[in-house]
Amino acid sequence: MKGKAMPAKQKITPCLWFNGNAEEAMDFYMSIFEDSKIINRLNWGKEGGSKEGSLLVATFQLAGQEYIALNGGPEFQFSEGISLSIDCSTQEEVDRLTEKLTADGGQIRPCSWVKDKFGLSWQIVPTILPEMLRDKDQAKADRVMAAMMKMYKIDIQKIKDAYNGTSD
């Protein structure tokens, strides 16, 4: 076929299992992240385990990354054993995402982890944090780790102060 090359399909796509509220979850996530859309959807037919015409499975995109949402039923719930990590360049982005993802019943957890109202865990990570934690000066990295371990939502200025040895 001549013309434009088709973009490569993502090889590995996380599948998120929901209990009948996959459509609500997709709408919620797409309202938070830019470059988001539903790519395709498959509804239940006459045969199957749910109401005909209701969503069975959909592929959707958040910030350019594809996910599958499956209305699988009550058998499985999310756990902290898997989380989605979000790189954030500013404190405003950390604050906004923490607020949005914990809205309507979500929870802020230690070390900038949050759990949304669907039970899915997210890590809201300032891009500067891993850089500081990998610093060759172990004393700097240790101060940053100690500061982070005391936080729920990461405060970028406080981890910078810890890194520079100027914190309280």
Side-chain angles (χ1 to χ4, degrees), residues 17-33:
W17 180 294
F18 295 93
N19 182 14
N21 55 358
E23 196 151 19
E24 178 188 352
M26 288 189 307
D27 289 343
F28 176 69
Y29 300 142
M30 289 188 303
S31 75
I32 296 171
F33 298 98

Side-chain angles (χ1 to χ4, degrees), residues 24-37 60-64 84 86-88 92-104 106 114-118 120 122 124:
E24 178 188 352
M26 288 189 307
D27 289 343
F28 176 69
Y29 300 142
M30 289 188 303
S31 75
I32 296 171
F33 298 98
E34 293 181 15
D35 191 15
S36 299
K37 63 184 177 184
F60 67 109
Q61 194 175 71
L62 300 177
L84 303 178
I86 311 167
D87 290 332
C88 298
E92 293 76 22
E93 188 176 16
V94 169
D95 295 345
R96 181 182 66 79
L97 289 171
T98 300
E99 180 182 327
K100 296 279 188 185
L101 287 168
T102 59
D104 301 323
V114 300
K115 187 181 280 194
D116 68 32
K117 64 184 177 181
F118 301 101
L120 184 59
W122 301 79
I124 302 175

